[in-house]
Amino acid sequence: MSRLADVDLTLQLSKREEKEQLKAVQKRLVHLRLLLGGQIGPGEIGPPLLVLFEGWDASGKGGAIKRLVERLDPRHVRVAQFAAPTHDEKRHHFLWRFWPVLPGWGGMAVLDRTWYGRVLVERVEGFATEEAWRRAYGEIVDLESTLAAEGTVVVKFWLHLSPEEQLRRFESRRGDPYRAWKLTDEDWRNREKRPAYEAAVEEMLERTDTPAGPWHVIAAEDKRWARVAVVRTVCEAVEAALTARGIDPDPPLT
């Protein structure tokens, strides 16, 4: 079964629908974030919230992250972006560089690219040995299971779009001097290896989708739909986690 092929890429929202729905889910997220931080409700801090973003190049990860955090107080969320590991980082286990940004109780962190690079780009491009990336599935599941057992709410996104829409976005960026910096030679090379990347994504989804860290594959063909879906999904994940812990997501505020 193909998780990617099952995604309905025709889903879309009008500008008006996006504005109305985004306002509602962002307001809800502010409430939940303040509750987790002990700023409203009973005053006790809640579990850590960790949101992981992966997806195709030009799938709109940056725009989705912007809408996710734009109504939050910047003191209440940390956004961290991860590119290729540095020379020093390569001297350590591949998970080492992510630990400093993981949230503690009452905290929230958003990761733009994650440890899944080991089983995606490092696998496809040969930056990791086959033995290393095959071993990584278990190591990642162990990490996320450990974090979840400690209380962390782990929300994982793969933003999916068609190769045709990706090409349209690439060409749009290339023609805009204020966005051309987003497009690199590496993006074009990765696009040429789409079948290999699709195989890697499918295996990643199959082997690392667990109760501790379920994957949410988001239709990103329409950016408006994707942005609303991301914020709504985070809200739903937090609500479910709080309810499972016997915490009222809507406590009296007075």
Side-chain angles (χ1 to χ4, degrees):
M1 178 180 293
S2 170
R3 288 281 297 269
L4 299 182
D6 289 340
V7 179
D8 183 358
L9 293 179
T10 67
L11 296 170
Q12 57 184 308
L13 294 175
S14 67
K15 287 185 178 181
R16 180 177 179 180
E17 289 172 329
E18 181 202 22
K19 182 178 180 180
E20 293 175 350
Q21 295 184 30
L22 193 58
K23 180 179 180 181
V25 292
Q26 286 179 329
K27 182 178 180 180
R28 180 60 176 170
L29 182 60
V30 169
H31 167 86
L32 294 170
R33 181 67 196 94
L34 291 174
L35 181 62
L36 290 176
Q39 303 300 316
I40 60 174
E44 298 179 4
I45 62 173
L49 174 58
L50 176 62
V51 186
L52 309 178
F53 278 87
E54 292 287 352
W56 298 109
D57 294 328
S59 60
K61 293 181 295 298
I65 291 171
K66 178 180 178 181
R67 273 68 178 185
L68 179 65
V69 305
E70 69 180 348
R71 296 297 181 91
L72 303 178
D73 190 299
R75 293 171 292 183
H76 295 163
V77 59
R78 170 188 287 174
V79 178
Q81 188 270 337
F82 289 92
T86 65
H87 174 74
D88 185 60
E89 288 170 340
K90 290 179 181 178
R91 297 170 56 224
H92 298 268
H93 187 278
F94 80 99
L95 292 173
W96 173 82
R97 64 181 178 140
F98 300 99
W99 275 99
V101 303
L102 297 182
W105 277 78
M108 175 180 179
V110 179
L111 274 58
D112 181 359
R113 298 294 191 185
T114 70
W115 39 73
Y116 284 100
R118 173 56 60 111
V119 297
L120 293 173
V121 64
E122 293 184 35
R123 164 183 170 169
V124 175
E125 303 297 336
F127 298 145
T129 65
E130 182 173 351
E131 190 277 332
W133 63 256
R134 287 193 180 280
R135 186 179 69 242
Y137 295 115
E139 294 171 322
I140 289 171
V141 169
D142 287 346
L143 170 63
E144 293 175 356
S145 298
T146 298
L147 294 175
E150 185 69 14
T152 302
V153 181
V154 181
V155 188
K156 305 188 305 195
F157 291 111
W158 175 265
L159 271 58
H160 184 52
L161 80 169
S162 68
E164 294 78 16
E165 175 62 16
Q166 184 188 55
L167 178 59
R168 188 195 68 78
R169 294 182 187 182
F170 276 17
E171 292 175 340
S172 175
R173 288 181 176 184
R174 182 167 56 184
D176 184 343
Y178 291 107
R179 294 187 299 138
W181 61 271
K182 293 184 177 183
L183 189 62
T184 67
D185 291 340
E186 182 179 345
D187 293 331
W188 289 105
R189 288 195 299 271
N190 290 348
R191 177 177 163 76
E192 293 175 356
K193 298 180 180 180
R194 174 98 178 196
Y197 274 101
E198 286 187 350
V201 173
E202 292 284 10
E203 186 167 5
M204 174 193 76
L205 295 174
E206 178 182 358
R207 299 189 61 177
T208 63
D209 190 337
T210 68
W215 277 104
H216 302 276
V217 182
I218 302 294
E221 198 87 347
D222 180 72
K223 291 183 178 181
R224 300 189 189 104
W225 171 274
R227 292 163 179 172
V228 172
V230 161
V231 184
R232 178 182 292 121
T233 300
V234 172
C235 289
E236 292 172 349
V238 173
E239 291 167 351
L242 291 176
T243 301
R245 291 167 171 77
I247 302 172
D248 183 3
D250 292 288
L253 302 183
T254 58

